[in-house]
Amino acid sequence: MIVYWHRKDLRGTDNRGLARAARADRVVPLFVLDPTVLEYASPIRVACLLEALADLRAWYRDRGSELLVVRGDAREVVPALAAERDAARVVWNEDYSGLAGERDEAVRTALEDEGIDHESVTDGLHHGPGSISPNEGEHYSVFSYFWKKWRDREKADPEPEPTAADLADLADESESEVDPIPSLSELGFDEPDADPPTVSRDAARERLETFCSEAIYRYADERDVPAAGSTSRLSTHLKWGTIGPREVYVETERALEDAPDEDARESVVAFRRQLAFREFYVHVLAFNPETVTKDFSGYENDIEWRNDRDELAAWRSGETGYPIVDAGMRQLRSEGWVHNRVRMLVASFLTKDLLVDWREGYDWYRRHLADHETSSDVAGWQWSASTGADSQPYFRVFNPTKQGREYDPDAAYIREHVPELEDVPADRIHEWPELASEERTELAPDYPDPIVDHASRREEAIAAFERARDEG
Ligand SMILES: Cc1cc2nc3c(=O)[nH]c(=O)nc-3n(C[C@H](O)[C@H](O)[C@H](O)COP(=O)(O)OP(=O)(O)OC[C@H]3O[C@@H](n4cnc5c(N)ncnc54)[C@H](O)[C@@H]3O)c2cc1C
């Protein structure tokens, strides 16, 4: 018997660790609801997790087995369950974040104390940390170098799905003894603000197939246009592991074969480039776990963050008077997801226009994103704050008005999320910060005036970063 420990890989298909366990012996599948992990969770993410767990449990039940869901400290639960089931080995897929690494090390030690074997493999990404590097034991800090190697490296095929014969027959337990999956409130969480996205195998496969049959060919042209809906929205599935990276890649191969022309082929490659970005950031974090809270590239002096609480509150609630920024912040609260271009924009607005420490923004995203992934979230924030690996230079500050005009010309995205501006013509929406106060009151009395002047705040932010750089 082998215990397979599910963590961020809530699927039975294309699961490398599970497939490996199933090749060796019959599998007892386990998930641990660990209070230490839940401490860092948020209502939307726990809602996603519970849904994915219920889906995975149903998958196992269809095969005469059962996903055991146990509450407790993984360092105790995993060895105790393995001993109780007389398992020879526990297998899991690697999680490269700092906290997970510490926990896994403790689990390994506890298993060894019990005389139980353990094995962990790379599953959630094609090429694990250390496998794409400039020199042994190092990682790339510049994405373009990483990308060239990632792109040219051979990719593994999807892993086969275990059959009923590979799994421990736990059908009797399913009917009687097994712990039910707790509810949000039983775990101490409120209902989320947003309607959580459906996080299940079917939802993930459907999204992947739909995207790869059509929108993928428009991706290069439209990925920066939030109203186009042309991105895959696979991030939540990749985060929870309801889709495997190899299945995603195989679909891009199919899309490449069926591409009608060279532009369409390039578009597929542009999509793959984003998949590589995700892996690049996992590598960066794995080698630099302290960057969850510390700047990746420090300056000579501390950045003098302004950290004005009222301005931070206006940003959080989408009341800054900069329409595209407010649309993004409201999309976050209503959907638990934000379009990438808008994530960059709102992050730039917070860290440059408002000069609020990126850690405040990260903390807000972490609480509200359904797809919150420490590696990508920290990297996205540090990129925007000009403190990250390969990040936006500090003197390049997004102009929210220009960005709104360029990427949401008809203001369709803004109107969708900011109903106060529903009847305002697009050109007026984009001119909002420059309009006279009376005109704003006449056009949309309930929508706020801009809380800051972008041009002067831009100058102040650049000056603050210059001071931080100043070695004198
Ligand atoms: C401040 C900030 C915070 C972010 N936080 C997260 C986060 O917590 N979780 C997260 O998955 N992504 C994060 N991103 C990256 C990116 O915004 C999302 O991955 C993307 O918007 C998800 O939508 P999609 O699945 O439609 O992406 P697509 O455009 O369809 O891309 C496909 C996949 O590639 C990966 N990807 C795309 N862009 C990026 C990127 N810039 N960095 C890393 N991976 C990328 C994602 O896994 C995504 O699902 C953040 C970006 C910024 C600027």
Side-chain angles (χ1 to χ4, degrees), residues 226 315 317-335 337-339 342 346 408 411-419 421 429 447:
W315 176 83
S317 55
E319 300 276 342
T320 67
Y322 280 86
I324 191 127
V325 172
D326 293 340
M329 295 311 294
R330 295 188 198 189
Q331 183 179 32
L332 174 65
R333 292 296 284 277
S334 63
E335 295 180 18
W337 181 88
V338 186
H339 184 274
V342 186
V346 303
D408 191 27
Y413 172 77
I414 293 172
R415 287 208 197 86
E416 187 186 340
H417 296 285
V418 186
L421 296 173
I429 290 178
Y447 185 65

Tab-separated table of all heavy atoms in Angstrom, residues 226 315 317-335 337-339 342 346 408 411-419 421 429 447:
chain	number	residue	atom	x	y	z
A	226	PRO	N	-8.675	43.939	-21.847
A	226	PRO	CA	-9.459	43.215	-20.831
A	226	PRO	C	-10.877	42.875	-21.274
A	226	PRO	O	-11.407	41.839	-20.880
A	226	PRO	CB	-9.453	44.152	-19.620
A	226	PRO	CG	-8.933	45.458	-20.085
A	226	PRO	CD	-8.170	45.226	-21.337
A	315	TRP	N	-8.088	52.892	-2.906
A	315	TRP	CA	-7.592	51.929	-3.903
A	315	TRP	C	-8.275	50.567	-3.705
A	315	TRP	O	-8.787	49.960	-4.658
A	315	TRP	CB	-6.069	51.803	-3.747
A	315	TRP	CG	-5.425	50.785	-4.643
A	315	TRP	CD1	-5.042	50.940	-5.944
A	315	TRP	CD2	-5.076	49.432	-4.288
A	315	TRP	NE1	-4.472	49.780	-6.419
A	315	TRP	CE2	-4.482	48.836	-5.430
A	315	TRP	CE3	-5.205	48.663	-3.127
A	315	TRP	CZ2	-4.018	47.518	-5.434
A	315	TRP	CZ3	-4.746	47.348	-3.140
A	315	TRP	CH2	-4.158	46.786	-4.283
A	317	SER	N	-11.112	49.863	-2.371
A	317	SER	CA	-12.550	49.796	-2.666
A	317	SER	C	-12.877	50.251	-4.093
A	317	SER	O	-14.044	50.293	-4.469
A	317	SER	CB	-13.344	50.606	-1.636
A	317	SER	OG	-12.838	51.911	-1.610
A	318	GLY	N	-11.853	50.580	-4.887
A	318	GLY	CA	-12.122	51.007	-6.266
A	318	GLY	C	-12.805	52.359	-6.308
A	318	GLY	O	-13.807	52.544	-7.000
A	319	GLU	N	-12.253	53.296	-5.558
A	319	GLU	CA	-12.846	54.645	-5.469
A	319	GLU	C	-11.748	55.684	-5.653
A	319	GLU	O	-11.720	56.693	-4.951
A	319	GLU	CB	-13.468	54.846	-4.067
A	319	GLU	CG	-14.565	53.886	-3.687
A	319	GLU	CD	-15.926	54.295	-4.214
A	319	GLU	OE1	-16.090	55.473	-4.579
A	319	GLU	OE2	-16.812	53.431	-4.272
A	320	THR	N	-10.837	55.450	-6.589
A	320	THR	CA	-9.722	56.391	-6.752
A	320	THR	C	-10.041	57.516	-7.721
A	320	THR	O	-9.285	58.467	-7.838
A	320	THR	CB	-8.461	55.673	-7.289
A	320	THR	OG1	-8.741	55.231	-8.644
A	320	THR	CG2	-8.055	54.485	-6.433
A	321	GLY	N	-11.141	57.386	-8.481
A	321	GLY	CA	-11.448	58.382	-9.505
A	321	GLY	C	-10.618	58.185	-10.771
A	321	GLY	O	-10.647	59.020	-11.676
A	322	TYR	N	-9.877	57.076	-10.856
A	322	TYR	CA	-9.200	56.674	-12.104
A	322	TYR	C	-9.956	55.449	-12.599
A	322	TYR	O	-9.811	54.340	-12.032
A	322	TYR	CB	-7.714	56.379	-11.854
A	322	TYR	CG	-6.898	57.650	-11.798
A	322	TYR	CD1	-6.763	58.361	-10.612
A	322	TYR	CD2	-6.311	58.170	-12.950
A	322	TYR	CE1	-6.059	59.548	-10.561
A	322	TYR	CE2	-5.589	59.365	-12.920
A	322	TYR	CZ	-5.470	60.042	-11.719
A	322	TYR	OH	-4.772	61.230	-11.687
A	323	PRO	N	-10.807	55.632	-13.637
A	323	PRO	CA	-11.771	54.579	-13.989
A	323	PRO	C	-11.189	53.197	-14.215
A	323	PRO	O	-11.737	52.205	-13.698
A	323	PRO	CB	-12.429	55.127	-15.258
A	323	PRO	CG	-12.328	56.618	-15.106
A	323	PRO	CD	-11.013	56.861	-14.418
A	324	ILE	N	-10.075	53.083	-14.926
A	324	ILE	CA	-9.585	51.719	-15.209
A	324	ILE	C	-9.016	51.071	-13.940
A	324	ILE	O	-9.132	49.854	-13.742
A	324	ILE	CB	-8.572	51.680	-16.383
A	324	ILE	CG1	-8.305	50.239	-16.805
A	324	ILE	CG2	-7.266	52.377	-16.066
A	324	ILE	CD1	-8.496	49.963	-18.249
A	325	VAL	N	-8.449	51.884	-13.080
A	325	VAL	CA	-7.931	51.352	-11.806
A	325	VAL	C	-9.117	50.851	-10.973
A	325	VAL	O	-9.108	49.734	-10.430
A	325	VAL	CB	-7.151	52.449	-11.042
A	325	VAL	CG1	-6.772	51.962	-9.640
A	325	VAL	CG2	-5.916	52.869	-11.826
A	326	ASP	N	-10.154	51.656	-10.906
A	326	ASP	CA	-11.314	51.267	-10.089
A	326	ASP	C	-12.015	50.032	-10.675
A	326	ASP	O	-12.484	49.162	-9.925
A	326	ASP	CB	-12.294	52.448	-9.979
A	326	ASP	CG	-11.668	53.580	-9.170
A	326	ASP	OD1	-10.711	53.310	-8.428
A	326	ASP	OD2	-12.122	54.730	-9.304
A	327	ALA	N	-12.052	49.954	-12.000
A	327	ALA	CA	-12.671	48.772	-12.624
A	327	ALA	C	-11.913	47.516	-12.199
A	327	ALA	O	-12.513	46.494	-11.835
A	327	ALA	CB	-12.665	48.921	-14.144
A	328	GLY	N	-10.576	47.590	-12.218
A	328	GLY	CA	-9.761	46.432	-11.838
A	328	GLY	C	-9.984	46.047	-10.387
A	328	GLY	O	-10.145	44.862	-10.061
A	329	MET	N	-9.997	47.042	-9.508
A	329	MET	CA	-10.148	46.732	-8.086
A	329	MET	C	-11.529	46.165	-7.786
A	329	MET	O	-11.696	45.345	-6.899
A	329	MET	CB	-9.867	47.976	-7.242
A	329	MET	CG	-8.426	48.463	-7.345
A	329	MET	SD	-7.220	47.148	-7.111
A	329	MET	CE	-7.490	46.714	-5.391
A	330	ARG	N	-12.506	46.610	-8.566
A	330	ARG	CA	-13.857	46.056	-8.342
A	330	ARG	C	-13.995	44.668	-8.967
A	330	ARG	O	-14.714	43.820	-8.451
A	330	ARG	CB	-14.894	47.033	-8.892
A	330	ARG	CG	-14.869	48.351	-8.114
A	330	ARG	CD	-15.990	49.226	-8.520
A	330	ARG	NE	-15.789	50.611	-8.139
A	330	ARG	CZ	-16.734	51.535	-8.254
A	330	ARG	NH1	-17.920	51.218	-8.750
A	330	ARG	NH2	-16.492	52.785	-7.900
A	331	GLN	N	-13.306	44.446	-10.086
A	331	GLN	CA	-13.336	43.088	-10.656
A	331	GLN	C	-12.739	42.094	-9.651
A	331	GLN	O	-13.253	40.984	-9.483
A	331	GLN	CB	-12.548	43.027	-11.977
A	331	GLN	CG	-12.630	41.638	-12.607
A	331	GLN	CD	-11.900	41.481	-13.932
A	331	GLN	OE1	-10.886	42.117	-14.176
A	331	GLN	NE2	-12.426	40.613	-14.794
A	332	LEU	N	-11.689	42.534	-8.986
A	332	LEU	CA	-11.069	41.655	-7.977
A	332	LEU	C	-12.093	41.245	-6.924
A	332	LEU	O	-12.198	40.067	-6.565
A	332	LEU	CB	-9.900	42.403	-7.317
A	332	LEU	CG	-9.206	41.706	-6.144
A	332	LEU	CD1	-8.511	40.434	-6.603
A	332	LEU	CD2	-8.175	42.635	-5.490
A	333	ARG	N	-12.860	42.220	-6.427
A	333	ARG	CA	-13.818	41.910	-5.369
A	333	ARG	C	-15.006	41.101	-5.879
A	333	ARG	O	-15.600	40.330	-5.142
A	333	ARG	CB	-14.331	43.202	-4.721
A	333	ARG	CG	-13.287	43.933	-3.927
A	333	ARG	CD	-12.801	43.140	-2.727
A	333	ARG	NE	-13.756	43.135	-1.625
A	333	ARG	CZ	-13.868	44.095	-0.727
A	333	ARG	NH1	-13.069	45.143	-0.779
A	333	ARG	NH2	-14.754	44.016	0.244
A	334	SER	N	-15.392	41.299	-7.150
A	334	SER	CA	-16.590	40.599	-7.612
A	334	SER	C	-16.285	39.233	-8.231
A	334	SER	O	-17.117	38.337	-8.205
A	334	SER	CB	-17.385	41.462	-8.598
A	334	SER	OG	-16.599	41.707	-9.734
A	335	GLU	N	-15.058	39.068	-8.783
A	335	GLU	CA	-14.772	37.805	-9.483
A	335	GLU	C	-13.631	36.997	-8.860
A	335	GLU	O	-13.413	35.850	-9.237
A	335	GLU	CB	-14.415	38.085	-10.958
A	335	GLU	CG	-15.567	38.670	-11.745
A	335	GLU	CD	-15.203	38.944	-13.198
A	335	GLU	OE1	-14.202	38.395	-13.691
A	335	GLU	OE2	-15.920	39.739	-13.831
A	337	TRP	N	-10.648	37.473	-9.583
A	337	TRP	CA	-9.702	37.357	-10.697
A	337	TRP	C	-9.621	38.738	-11.355
A	337	TRP	O	-10.622	39.468	-11.368
A	337	TRP	CB	-10.215	36.327	-11.718
A	337	TRP	CG	-9.310	36.110	-12.905
A	337	TRP	CD1	-8.282	35.221	-12.986
A	337	TRP	CD2	-9.350	36.789	-14.172
A	337	TRP	NE1	-7.683	35.298	-14.221
A	337	TRP	CE2	-8.317	36.258	-14.965
A	337	TRP	CE3	-10.139	37.802	-14.708
A	337	TRP	CZ2	-8.057	36.690	-16.269
A	337	TRP	CZ3	-9.881	38.233	-15.997
A	337	TRP	CH2	-8.851	37.676	-16.773
A	338	VAL	N	-8.466	39.097	-11.871
A	338	VAL	CA	-8.307	40.367	-12.585
A	338	VAL	C	-7.455	40.098	-13.818
A	338	VAL	O	-6.520	39.284	-13.783
A	338	VAL	CB	-7.595	41.433	-11.711
A	338	VAL	CG1	-7.565	42.787	-12.418
A	338	VAL	CG2	-8.249	41.576	-10.348
A	339	HIS	N	-7.785	40.781	-14.898
A	339	HIS	CA	-7.022	40.677	-16.139
A	339	HIS	C	-5.570	41.143	-15.910
A	339	HIS	O	-5.332	42.094	-15.169
A	339	HIS	CB	-7.721	41.565	-17.186
A	339	HIS	CG	-7.101	41.475	-18.523
A	339	HIS	ND1	-6.022	42.247	-18.891
A	339	HIS	CD2	-7.389	40.692	-19.585
A	339	HIS	CE1	-5.691	41.948	-20.128
A	339	HIS	NE2	-6.492	41.004	-20.575
A	342	VAL	N	-4.536	44.785	-16.297
A	342	VAL	CA	-5.129	45.613	-15.245
A	342	VAL	C	-4.442	45.337	-13.903
A	342	VAL	O	-4.240	46.244	-13.099
A	342	VAL	CB	-6.655	45.388	-15.177
A	342	VAL	CG1	-7.287	46.344	-14.190
A	342	VAL	CG2	-7.289	45.555	-16.551
A	346	VAL	N	-3.097	48.501	-11.791
A	346	VAL	CA	-3.512	48.863	-10.423
A	346	VAL	C	-2.321	48.752	-9.469
A	346	VAL	O	-2.230	49.505	-8.498
A	346	VAL	CB	-4.718	48.035	-9.903
A	346	VAL	CG1	-5.909	48.169	-10.817
A	346	VAL	CG2	-4.377	46.583	-9.659
A	408	ASP	N	-8.689	49.878	-23.391
A	408	ASP	CA	-10.143	49.750	-23.228
A	408	ASP	C	-10.800	50.930	-23.951
A	408	ASP	O	-11.530	51.725	-23.346
A	408	ASP	CB	-10.487	49.768	-21.722
A	408	ASP	CG	-11.932	49.363	-21.446
A	408	ASP	OD1	-12.513	48.607	-22.259
A	408	ASP	OD2	-12.475	49.795	-20.405
A	411	ALA	N	-14.275	51.730	-23.471
A	411	ALA	CA	-14.590	51.718	-22.029
A	411	ALA	C	-15.574	50.602	-21.667
A	411	ALA	O	-16.302	50.697	-20.680
A	411	ALA	CB	-15.113	53.082	-21.560
A	412	ALA	N	-15.573	49.527	-22.461
A	412	ALA	CA	-16.505	48.421	-22.188
A	412	ALA	C	-16.161	47.737	-20.861
A	412	ALA	O	-17.046	47.410	-20.074
A	412	ALA	CB	-16.444	47.408	-23.322
A	413	TYR	N	-14.870	47.525	-20.642
A	413	TYR	CA	-14.429	46.882	-19.392
A	413	TYR	C	-14.745	47.789	-18.192
A	413	TYR	O	-15.265	47.335	-17.177
A	413	TYR	CB	-12.926	46.597	-19.487
A	413	TYR	CG	-12.298	46.105	-18.212
A	413	TYR	CD1	-12.464	44.789	-17.783
A	413	TYR	CD2	-11.503	46.960	-17.423
A	413	TYR	CE1	-11.872	44.335	-16.614
A	413	TYR	CE2	-10.903	46.510	-16.255
A	413	TYR	CZ	-11.090	45.199	-15.851
A	413	TYR	OH	-10.496	44.753	-14.688
A	414	ILE	N	-14.448	49.075	-18.358
A	414	ILE	CA	-14.707	50.007	-17.247
A	414	ILE	C	-16.202	50.021	-16.917
A	414	ILE	O	-16.599	49.895	-15.752
A	414	ILE	CB	-14.217	51.429	-17.604
A	414	ILE	CG1	-12.688	51.431	-17.712
A	414	ILE	CG2	-14.706	52.457	-16.579
A	414	ILE	CD1	-12.077	52.709	-18.246
A	415	ARG	N	-17.025	50.135	-17.936
A	415	ARG	CA	-18.481	50.210	-17.678
A	415	ARG	C	-19.008	48.933	-17.029
A	415	ARG	O	-19.907	48.968	-16.205
A	415	ARG	CB	-19.241	50.466	-18.981
A	415	ARG	CG	-19.064	51.881	-19.474
A	415	ARG	CD	-20.276	52.320	-20.294
A	415	ARG	NE	-19.934	53.489	-21.066
A	415	ARG	CZ	-19.361	53.446	-22.269
A	415	ARG	NH1	-19.105	52.290	-22.843
A	415	ARG	NH2	-19.068	54.555	-22.907
A	416	GLU	N	-18.411	47.801	-17.416
A	416	GLU	CA	-18.879	46.541	-16.822
A	416	GLU	C	-18.680	46.523	-15.310
A	416	GLU	O	-19.505	45.993	-14.574
A	416	GLU	CB	-18.103	45.374	-17.461
A	416	GLU	CG	-18.628	44.032	-17.032
A	416	GLU	CD	-17.775	42.868	-17.548
A	416	GLU	OE1	-17.018	43.052	-18.517
A	416	GLU	OE2	-17.885	41.777	-16.950
A	417	HIS	N	-17.581	47.136	-14.865
A	417	HIS	CA	-17.272	47.033	-13.434
A	417	HIS	C	-17.576	48.297	-12.636
A	417	HIS	O	-17.571	48.266	-11.412
A	417	HIS	CB	-15.803	46.630	-13.259
A	417	HIS	CG	-15.528	45.258	-13.813
A	417	HIS	ND1	-15.923	44.117	-13.170
A	417	HIS	CD2	-14.955	44.871	-14.978
A	417	HIS	CE1	-15.593	43.066	-13.898
A	417	HIS	NE2	-15.000	43.494	-15.009
A	418	VAL	N	-17.777	49.406	-13.329
A	418	VAL	CA	-18.063	50.661	-12.615
A	418	VAL	C	-19.416	51.179	-13.109
A	418	VAL	O	-19.493	52.001	-14.030
A	418	VAL	CB	-16.932	51.710	-12.866
A	418	VAL	CG1	-17.160	52.960	-12.013
A	418	VAL	CG2	-15.562	51.105	-12.577
A	419	PRO	N	-20.490	50.697	-12.514
A	419	PRO	CA	-21.821	51.050	-13.037
A	419	PRO	C	-22.120	52.550	-12.995
A	419	PRO	O	-22.918	53.036	-13.802
A	419	PRO	CB	-22.787	50.268	-12.143
A	419	PRO	CG	-21.989	49.720	-11.024
A	419	PRO	CD	-20.553	49.737	-11.404
A	421	LEU	N	-20.493	54.746	-14.182
A	421	LEU	CA	-20.050	55.361	-15.442
A	421	LEU	C	-20.768	54.766	-16.657
A	421	LEU	O	-20.398	55.056	-17.803
A	421	LEU	CB	-18.526	55.175	-15.598
A	421	LEU	CG	-17.661	55.887	-14.539
A	421	LEU	CD1	-16.199	55.500	-14.700
A	421	LEU	CD2	-17.805	57.408	-14.638
A	429	ILE	N	-15.070	59.270	-20.123
A	429	ILE	CA	-14.544	58.350	-19.085
A	429	ILE	C	-13.019	58.446	-19.055
A	429	ILE	O	-12.402	58.596	-18.001
A	429	ILE	CB	-15.002	56.897	-19.340
A	429	ILE	CG1	-16.502	56.767	-19.081
A	429	ILE	CG2	-14.215	55.912	-18.480
A	429	ILE	CD1	-17.086	55.389	-19.345
A	447	TYR	N	-19.773	58.994	-8.907
A	447	TYR	CA	-18.415	58.483	-9.096
A	447	TYR	C	-17.403	59.523	-8.589
A	447	TYR	O	-17.550	60.713	-8.860
A	447	TYR	CB	-18.170	58.130	-10.580
A	447	TYR	CG	-16.821	57.489	-10.799
A	447	TYR	CD1	-16.535	56.247	-10.253
A	447	TYR	CD2	-15.823	58.159	-11.508
A	447	TYR	CE1	-15.280	55.667	-10.422
A	447	TYR	CE2	-14.565	57.589	-11.685
A	447	TYR	CZ	-14.301	56.344	-11.138
A	447	TYR	OH	-13.053	55.782	-11.281
